[in-house]
Amino acid sequence: MDRRSFIKLTAITGTSAALASCGSPENTVIRFVPDDEMAPGLAEWKPSVCPLCNSGCGLNVRVMQADVETTRDGTRGVVQRAVAKKLEGLPTHPVNQGGLCARGQAAIQLTYHPDRLAQPLKRSGQRGEGKFEPMTWEAAVAELVGKLDALAAAGNQKGLTIIGDGRRSQRASLFDQFVAKFGGTLSVRHEVFGDAVLRRANGMSFGVEQLPTYDLKHTRSAINFGGDILGTWNSPVAHANAYGAMRRGRPGVRGAYFHVESRVTTSGAGADEWVGITPGTEGVLALAIAHVMLEEKLLPAVSGRATALIDGWASGLADYEPARAEKITGVGAARIAHIARQLAEQSPSVALVGGPALAYSNGLFTALAVNALNQLFGTVQKPGGIAFTPQGVTADSRPSRSTLAAFASAVAGGTQPAGVLLLDGGNPVFASSKAWRVREAIEKFPYIVSFGSFIDETSALADLILPDHSFLESWVDALPESGSLVPVVSVAGPVMKPLFDTRASEDVLLDVARTLAKPVDFPWRTFDEMLKATIDLHGEDAWSTAQSHGGWWPETSQGEAASGQPPTARGAASVTPPSPSAGDAGRFIDPVLAGDADVYPYQLLPYPSLQFLDGSLAHLPWLQELPDPITSAMWSSWVEINPTTAESLGVSLGDVVEVASSLGAVRAPVFVNPGLSPTVIAMPVGQGHTNYTRYASGRGQNPIEILAPATVAGTDAFAWAATRVKVTRVSDPDGSLILFSARGELRERPYEGVTR
Amino acid sequence: MAYRWGMAVDLDRCTGCQACVTACRSENNIPTAGEQQASRGRAIHWIRVERYFEGEFPNVRVKYRPVLCQQCDAAPCEPVCPTYASSHNEDGLNAQIYNRCIGTRYCANACPYNTRFFDFFNPSWEKPLHLQLNPDVSVREVGVMEKCTFCVQRINAAKVTARGEDRTVKDGEIQPACAQSCPSKAIVFGDLNDPDSEVSRLAESPRGHKLLDDLGTRPKITYLEGR
């Protein structure tokens, strides 16, 4: 039978079957499993904690039986075991309240990743060559103890240090305490997109050095200066929840939302008014809005420390008159006045700030200006305004920390001795500017130990790898700095047995501490004892409740805490005394950009990608195949260019361009983005790994490498948005830009010249 | 009375964060296509978040719209299927019966929403990634069509539970994976035959509209415009 007659035949029989089936139930289309025989799988749900960012969201893990291949006493076989199947948000958790972001859901692939390290490894080839051989845990721990004993015997305790990621947890605290008690050098907690500027500004403005929580649920109008609060910054799930409630959670009230930035983010997308601005001038806009409010007496001039911190505040901010602000910011004077009136009319109002706005040399000024605006709104630590999450664990007992740039220069200059380096995440070789020479500094250490579960650009340099359990296989904790109006300590036990011959790093460290010739003294034998000791401070039943709930927090709900009593700064991270003045940060100074404007006409904006943040999640295949919310790109790197700029450069979608700073160049295909300033070239951060599992290696480009080593004035924070670049066309589309939308969507205006 | 499952998506709450996309992938054993297959347009996402640009810098607007199978009452995908793989079930869902599907792809051609996906390859999970597979959802082999089921496995489980307790399914008892994960609670699911359900209430909203309504497909998803 040929194809045509087959189709004809099926069409005829099909039609008659359809006609016959009308009416009588016995003739309806039979399904393969009748309802009565349906037996849904039995699942158990256990709490855990998402380990991917600082938010510390609670997880609800679906656990079911599965056949697991395993090796026992050298014999391979299959055993039935309870394993994690799906991660959902924990509905009762005060931070995420049942929601969970795309990254958090993909965290399950950390446990089941095919390239996960399954046993301790020892370097067998040259350093960095990537050759390792397996060893036993006993031998591995003994080797580390031997190296640390040798350091102590030589009186070179300062030679021990640690580089880790920036997560706030008791795990991080344990590592830091170990280094401090041993007599080592300050630990480095590295985040490319860190929040040191905002913490410092909040210390100066409000006396609380902490990331704010925005009580959007009760806000009537909000203006956001660049903080990607719903996508990649602060506590995105908590704030998305509050954002939804701000828009549609109150009958008859819809909160207004303005968003100011130079490249549109998911947080800016939903804005009632999206305001494109000249990058680095956000603080001027904030003060221009304040100027209008003061001049038109829209709000009472209560301003807290703003008078002391902002030059000219007391005299009505004459320098920030809207017409002058228009020249600096590119936002029209009439529009500034209109925004100011809207914000004043719809109270309570709040101003948010974050992201690239704080990553220029004048970032501290920008943060102080927006803080002053909040003081003018009168909503600091009031419902609908800025809150500071009370801290369930006093975090200021942690040793103070150094920055990666300071570490690298101290090691290179010989002021910090290189002995034993512990690596606990953060991938500093990948996530740093070439100019810092971090790899060279790390390589000066004669002995490097990594606790990570994967080989990445940094752990590839290790001499010893002691792979951790996955977070689902061990105790896990987080200390959310923001995202909740009540104090939260996220804690959970293992939800499944370890798949491989791994060990919990915290327990390994405590074991090492005990075994040293001169032991480092800790009051706990295991990590869960440390966690219990903290939770026990909150009452007798607190520990057992915490284990079943996924953490400790007070019984009152978010809503009660917000509407009943205004949140206070009680127990906040640290309290700084009022500063008499902000010095240079009290007035606008043009952002300093690295590079000659004649040679490098554009500003490079490297932004944390929604999928990979700083690149630490590029090894998860679900996130690689997750379409980017602006471009719909998967498995790719790209360069975003404004349509007008693209025209002047003679490039269009998919064309390959070279983006060069004075430090180097990267090549990637073009995506033409109308939501981007014509003077800015944007690139997502996350791809460009040379050695990070089968899914991320050799894919795309890493723009962090070509960033100039600039800092934000008045702080030691990295000014990651302050590098100038030039762009040159390299070739026609090379097929490396993979867009999901190329499949054809319902868009009004389909893409032209889509690469397939 | 029979159920009639429907959904409401509040675009004023949606932030385009892609949480629903990952939740769906996790719940429904959607295979990872990989770079090669994805570059040929073969990546599968039962739900996607469409993005629309309006205007020019500095006055730009971006709109997001999550698009999934609209579970049409007058579904164009159903009458074109020669094998009844694409059929209407008693709850009003557009069911896709994989065992019957012979891969003519007529349904994908007929669907105006572009939400049906053909399996161009046999799915594989590099071990031990296979351990995350949901045992309640069958894995689709090469040559069949697949699409959003409204998480029919969750619907069935809730119906089994309700039957055991001699009652009907309560409003809010079933949450498809996308609705469950949504940080801003933009997606509401429920029974359109129950006039008191949240989804019925939202379906009546003056902000509501159906996608490509003029085609007469009678979708069971209502989109609520923000502004």
Side-chain angles (χ1 to χ4, degrees), chain A residues 463-487:
Chain A
D463 301 283
L464 182 69
I465 300 181
L466 304 173
D468 197 357
H469 285 332
S470 120
F471 68 103
L472 294 172
E473 299 164 344
S474 63
W475 287 89
V476 56
D477 83 296
L479 303 171
E481 182 180 4
S482 61
S484 162
L485 299 177
V486 298

Side-chain angles (χ1 to χ4, degrees), chain A residues 168 208 210 389-396 487 568-575:
Chain A
R168 285 165 53 91
V208 190
Q210 192 181 335
T389 302
Q391 295 297 291
V393 172
T394 323
D396 56 9
T568 66
R570 176 177 50 86
S574 68
V575 177

Side-chain angles (χ1 to χ4, degrees), chain A residues 14 30 254 695 744 747 751, chain B residues 12 35 51 84 100 114 126:
Chain A
I30 310 160
R254 177 173 181 270
Y695 299 111
R747 297 180 192 285
Y751 296 112
Chain B
D12 209 12
E35 184 180 8
R51 182 269 300 127
Y84 298 98
R100 283 201 185 124
N114 219 338
E126 283 163 296

